[in-house]
Protein backbone atom coordinates (compact mmCIF):
# COMPACT_ATOMS: atom_id res chain seq x y z
CA UNK A 1 0.00 0.00 0.00
CA UNK A 2 1.49 3.34 -0.96
CA UNK A 3 1.45 6.35 1.33
CA UNK A 4 -1.27 7.92 -0.82
CA UNK A 5 -3.67 5.04 -0.24
CA UNK A 6 -3.49 5.07 3.55
CA UNK A 7 -5.97 7.93 3.93
CA UNK A 8 -9.57 8.19 2.82
CA UNK A 9 -8.92 11.47 1.01
CA UNK A 10 -5.21 11.69 0.17
CA UNK A 11 -5.46 14.86 -1.91
CA UNK A 12 -6.61 17.05 0.97
CA UNK A 13 -4.09 19.31 2.64
CA UNK A 14 -4.78 18.19 6.20
CA UNK A 15 -3.66 20.26 9.16
CA UNK A 16 -2.39 18.56 12.34
CA UNK A 17 -5.70 19.45 14.03
CA UNK A 18 -7.72 17.87 11.20
CA UNK A 19 -5.51 14.78 11.32
CA UNK A 20 -6.18 14.60 15.07
CA UNK A 21 -9.91 14.57 14.30
CA UNK A 22 -9.43 11.84 11.69
CA UNK A 23 -7.56 9.66 14.15
CA UNK A 24 -10.05 10.44 16.93
CA UNK A 25 -12.84 9.35 14.58
CA UNK A 26 -11.01 6.09 13.89
CA UNK A 27 -10.48 5.56 17.61
CA UNK A 28 -14.10 6.29 18.45
CA UNK A 29 -15.22 3.93 15.68
CA UNK A 30 -12.99 1.23 17.19
CA UNK A 31 -14.38 1.96 20.65
CA UNK A 32 -17.99 1.82 19.44
CA UNK A 33 -17.53 -1.49 17.63
CA UNK A 34 -15.21 -3.32 20.03
CA UNK A 35 -16.08 -1.67 23.34
CA UNK A 36 -12.38 -1.58 24.22
CA UNK A 37 -11.04 0.62 27.01
CA UNK A 38 -10.05 4.11 25.86
CA UNK A 39 -6.42 3.49 26.83
CA UNK A 40 -6.22 0.50 24.47
CA UNK A 41 -7.85 2.45 21.65
CA UNK A 42 -5.41 5.35 22.13
CA UNK A 43 -2.43 2.98 22.09
CA UNK A 44 -3.66 1.34 18.86
CA UNK A 45 -4.30 4.64 17.12
CA UNK A 46 -1.03 6.24 18.19
CA UNK A 47 0.85 3.38 16.53
CA UNK A 48 -0.96 3.98 13.21
CA UNK A 49 0.86 5.17 10.13
CA UNK A 50 0.87 8.97 9.89
CA UNK A 51 -0.08 9.65 13.50
CA UNK A 52 3.14 11.63 13.96
CA UNK A 53 1.61 14.35 11.73
CA UNK A 54 -1.45 14.74 13.97
CA UNK A 55 -1.89 17.10 16.92
CA UNK A 56 -1.32 14.49 19.63
CA UNK A 57 -2.59 16.67 22.47
CA UNK A 58 -5.84 17.53 20.69
CA UNK A 59 -6.35 13.92 19.61
CA UNK A 60 -6.04 12.73 23.20
CA UNK A 61 -8.34 15.44 24.56
CA UNK A 62 -10.94 14.86 21.84
CA UNK A 63 -11.01 11.06 22.08
CA UNK A 64 -10.91 10.82 25.88
CA UNK A 65 -13.41 13.67 26.26
CA UNK A 66 -15.86 12.17 23.80
CA UNK A 67 -15.69 8.72 25.36
CA UNK A 68 -15.98 10.11 28.90
CA UNK A 69 -19.05 12.19 27.97
CA UNK A 70 -20.58 9.72 25.49
CA UNK A 71 -23.74 9.05 27.52
CA UNK A 72 -24.42 12.77 28.00
CA UNK A 73 -23.58 13.53 24.35
CA UNK A 74 -25.99 10.86 23.12
CA UNK A 75 -28.72 12.43 25.26
CA UNK A 76 -28.03 15.82 23.69
CA UNK A 77 -27.89 14.43 20.14
CA UNK A 78 -30.94 12.13 20.41
CA UNK A 79 -33.63 14.85 20.02
CA UNK A 80 -31.92 16.17 16.87
CA UNK A 81 -31.84 12.87 14.94
CA UNK A 82 -34.69 11.20 13.09
CA UNK A 83 -34.08 7.68 14.42
CA UNK A 84 -32.65 5.96 17.48
CA UNK A 85 -28.91 6.53 17.80
CA UNK A 86 -28.36 2.75 17.75
CA UNK A 87 -29.67 2.77 14.16
CA UNK A 88 -27.11 5.31 12.93
CA UNK A 89 -24.15 4.01 10.97
CA UNK A 90 -21.09 3.71 13.24
CA UNK A 91 -19.35 6.48 11.27
CA UNK A 92 -22.28 8.91 11.56
CA UNK A 93 -22.61 8.01 15.24
CA UNK A 94 -18.91 8.67 15.86
CA UNK A 95 -18.82 11.90 13.83
CA UNK A 96 -21.89 13.23 15.64
CA UNK A 97 -20.40 12.41 19.03
CA UNK A 98 -17.12 14.14 18.12
CA UNK A 99 -18.93 17.18 16.73
CA UNK A 100 -21.21 17.38 19.76
CA UNK A 101 -18.21 17.19 22.09
CA UNK A 102 -16.48 20.03 20.25
CA UNK A 103 -19.64 22.16 20.18
CA UNK A 104 -20.11 21.64 23.90
CA UNK A 105 -16.52 21.87 25.13
CA UNK A 106 -14.52 23.93 22.63
CA UNK A 107 -16.33 27.26 22.65
CA UNK A 108 -13.22 28.96 21.25
CA UNK A 109 -13.72 27.07 17.97
CA UNK A 110 -16.51 28.72 15.94
CA UNK A 111 -19.45 26.40 15.55
CA UNK A 112 -19.28 26.66 11.75
CA UNK A 113 -15.71 25.30 11.88
CA UNK A 114 -16.82 22.39 14.08
CA UNK A 115 -19.62 21.56 11.65
CA UNK A 116 -17.37 21.90 8.60
CA UNK A 117 -14.75 19.60 10.11
CA UNK A 118 -17.41 17.02 10.97
CA UNK A 119 -18.84 17.22 7.45
CA UNK A 120 -15.38 16.67 5.98
CA UNK A 121 -14.89 13.61 8.19
CA UNK A 122 -18.26 12.24 7.09
CA UNK A 123 -17.36 12.85 3.43
CA UNK A 124 -14.01 11.08 3.83
CA UNK A 125 -15.10 8.10 5.91
CA UNK A 126 -18.90 7.86 5.71
CA UNK A 127 -21.56 6.85 3.25
CA UNK A 128 -22.60 8.73 0.13
CA UNK A 129 -24.92 11.30 1.73
CA UNK A 130 -23.90 10.88 5.37
CA UNK A 131 -22.24 14.30 5.36
CA UNK A 132 -25.58 15.97 4.61
CA UNK A 133 -27.17 14.24 7.57
CA UNK A 134 -24.26 15.20 9.85
CA UNK A 135 -24.49 18.81 8.67
CA UNK A 136 -28.20 19.05 9.46
CA UNK A 137 -27.95 17.39 12.87
CA UNK A 138 -24.97 19.45 14.01
CA UNK A 139 -26.55 22.66 12.74
CA UNK A 140 -29.65 21.96 14.89
CA UNK A 141 -27.40 20.99 17.79
CA UNK A 142 -25.41 24.23 17.48
CA UNK A 143 -28.65 26.14 17.93
CA UNK A 144 -29.18 24.31 21.23
CA UNK A 145 -25.62 24.27 22.58
CA UNK A 146 -24.56 27.70 21.31
CA UNK A 147 -27.76 29.70 20.90
CA UNK A 148 -26.11 33.12 21.12
CA UNK A 149 -23.43 32.30 18.53
CA UNK A 150 -25.94 30.67 16.17
CA UNK A 151 -28.39 33.58 16.52
CA UNK A 152 -25.65 36.14 15.86
CA UNK A 153 -24.58 34.20 12.78
CA UNK A 154 -28.19 34.00 11.53
CA UNK A 155 -28.55 37.79 11.77
CA UNK A 156 -25.61 38.37 9.40
Amino acid sequence: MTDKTTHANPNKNRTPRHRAREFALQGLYQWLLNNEPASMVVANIKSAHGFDKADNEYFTELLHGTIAQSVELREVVAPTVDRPIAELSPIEHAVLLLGAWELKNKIEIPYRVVINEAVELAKSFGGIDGHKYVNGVLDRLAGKLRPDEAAADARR
Side-chain angles (χ1 to χ4, degrees):
M1 193 179 273
T2 68
D3 184 45
K4 288 191 174 201
T5 61
T6 58
H7 299 287
N9 195 344
N11 297 322
K12 286 243 171 194
N13 183 14
R14 295 182 312 277
T15 65
R17 175 79 46 110
H18 183 76
R19 289 175 189 266
R21 288 182 180 100
E22 288 178 333
F23 284 111
L25 173 63
Q26 292 172 38
L28 194 55
Y29 180 86
Q30 180 180 338
W31 177 76
L32 286 169
L33 291 183
N34 300 332
N35 203 22
E36 294 176 343
S39 59
M40 184 180 292
V41 172
V42 168
N44 289 341
I45 296 298
K46 285 187 175 187
S47 68
H49 173 76
F51 185 81
D52 59 317
K53 295 178 182 164
D55 181 335
N56 179 31
E57 185 178 316
Y58 195 69
F59 161 79
T60 302
E61 181 182 14
L62 181 57
L63 185 61
H64 280 290
T66 302
I67 290 172
Q69 295 179 16
S70 62
V71 172
E72 177 186 342
L73 294 171
R74 285 183 185 111
E75 290 172 358
V76 171
V77 169
T80 62
V81 295
D82 61 351
R83 57 188 171 259
I85 290 180
E87 293 179 12
L88 295 172
S89 79
I91 291 293
E92 288 172 352
H93 186 176
V95 170
L96 290 173
L97 288 176
L98 290 171
W101 185 86
E102 283 190 296
L103 285 172
K104 182 176 181 293
N105 296 288
K106 295 306 226 177
I107 302 301
E108 69 275 12
I109 302 173
Y111 84 95
R112 291 271 183 215
V113 171
V114 172
I115 293 172
N116 186 57
E117 287 289 326
V119 166
E120 290 302 316
L121 290 174
K123 283 180 181 178
S124 294
F125 296 97
I128 293 173
D129 285 334
H131 67 282
K132 294 176 185 176
Y133 186 75
V134 165
N135 184 50
V137 170
L138 290 180
D139 193 52
R140 287 189 296 277
L141 196 57
K144 288 179 157 189
L145 294 175
R146 299 190 187 181
D148 295 339
E149 185 181 357
D153 193 49
R155 286 192 294 267
R156 290 183 200 184

